[in-house]
Amino acid sequence: MAELTFKENVLDRFRFDGKTAVVTGAAGNIGYHTALAFAQAGANVAIVDLPQCIERSQKHADEFAEKYGVKTAAYGCNLTDDKAVKEMFDQIEKDFGSVDVVHNNAGVGGALAPDIEEWDVEHNMPHLDHWKQVLDINLVSIYIVAVAAARVMIREGHGGAIVNTGSIAGHIVNQAPMYQTLDDSSYGVAKAGVLFFTKHFASQVIKYGIRVNSISPGYCYSPGLHDGLSPEILDCYQKTQPIMRMARVEELQGAVLYLASDAATYTVGQDLLVDGGHIIW
């Protein structure tokens, strides 16, 4: 058994100085804040999102570099394209020198329509087509990114950490006002797949010193998503967990940093629920 060495001060184990953190979906709300947290903790940060988001991604990269003195770069990539993802990680390795940590976070929402509806009015397409699209983006891309990242880490020979973004929707069926489920099954099915993939993949790559875990956020307030919802739905989101409010996105930062850090060297294949106690009711 290899002997572990620890930094004497436990707070130092939460530092990422000299390491490269890759955050996908980093032009969005959760990804921006976890990329910010890695930069604050001393990591060099690769900001990854869709090609059409490259201007926003570059803005975030510039912000982190200026504020925290870390190296940053922005990348536009379709994460459902395995060839493009491999090329992106090769470029990140070339630009930064290593890939040490990945927050595998990119994703989209499901459809606000029952599965029995053939046509998805919200997205103006056949329901089945959108259902497959959600699984492709929320589950297949998680697989592609994790595998590509692990291959780089194995090649570099230093281990690493991968944190996948799951959801409480992977554990339970979302409650809604009047005890009706408002959305289809695509998002929950994809996130449940993320949770199982996390466990399975973790068991494969821990022998290389790569730890794979996930976080499952509860209802996390997002201005662009929630400000247009009815007071009735917002009230439901706030009162269906013991804490009686939605999460602030900043409340996810510590969970991701912990799972990615040297403070979590014995945490493997686990899902960390950050849900205000939602699923204990």
Side-chain angles (χ1 to χ4, degrees), residues 15-59:
R15 295 290 305 178
F16 292 83
D17 303 279
K19 293 186 177 181
T20 300
V22 181
V23 181
T24 67
N29 198 25
I30 292 176
Y32 166 81
H33 282 87
T34 59
L36 169 64
F38 281 121
Q40 291 172 337
N44 301 316
V45 185
I47 305 292
V48 177
D49 214 297
L50 291 168
Q52 56 263 41
C53 299
I54 192 64
E55 288 187 12
R56 194 179 347 152
S57 298
Q58 188 60 58
K59 180 181 177 182

Side-chain angles (χ1 to χ4, degrees), residues 236-257:
C236 174
Y237 284 155
Q238 294 182 61
K239 294 183 178 178
T240 49
Q241 50 273 329
I243 202 169
M244 289 291 174
R245 64 175 175 84
M246 297 173 73
R248 288 283 301 272
V249 69
E250 291 88 348
E251 294 178 290
L252 305 177
Q253 291 172 308
V256 174
L257 285 189

Side-chain angles (χ1 to χ4, degrees), residues 24-25 48-54 75-89 106 108 133 136-138 140-142 144-145 148:
T24 67
V48 177
D49 214 297
L50 291 168
Q52 56 263 41
C53 299
I54 192 64
Y75 303 85
C77 185
N78 174 5
L79 300 179
T80 65
D81 182 338
D82 60 337
K83 183 175 183 292
V85 171
K86 179 185 181 302
E87 291 173 352
M88 180 190 71
F89 272 103
V108 295
Q133 186 181 88
D136 207 27
I137 296 170
N138 286 6
V140 176
S141 77
I142 292 285
I144 290 172
V145 169

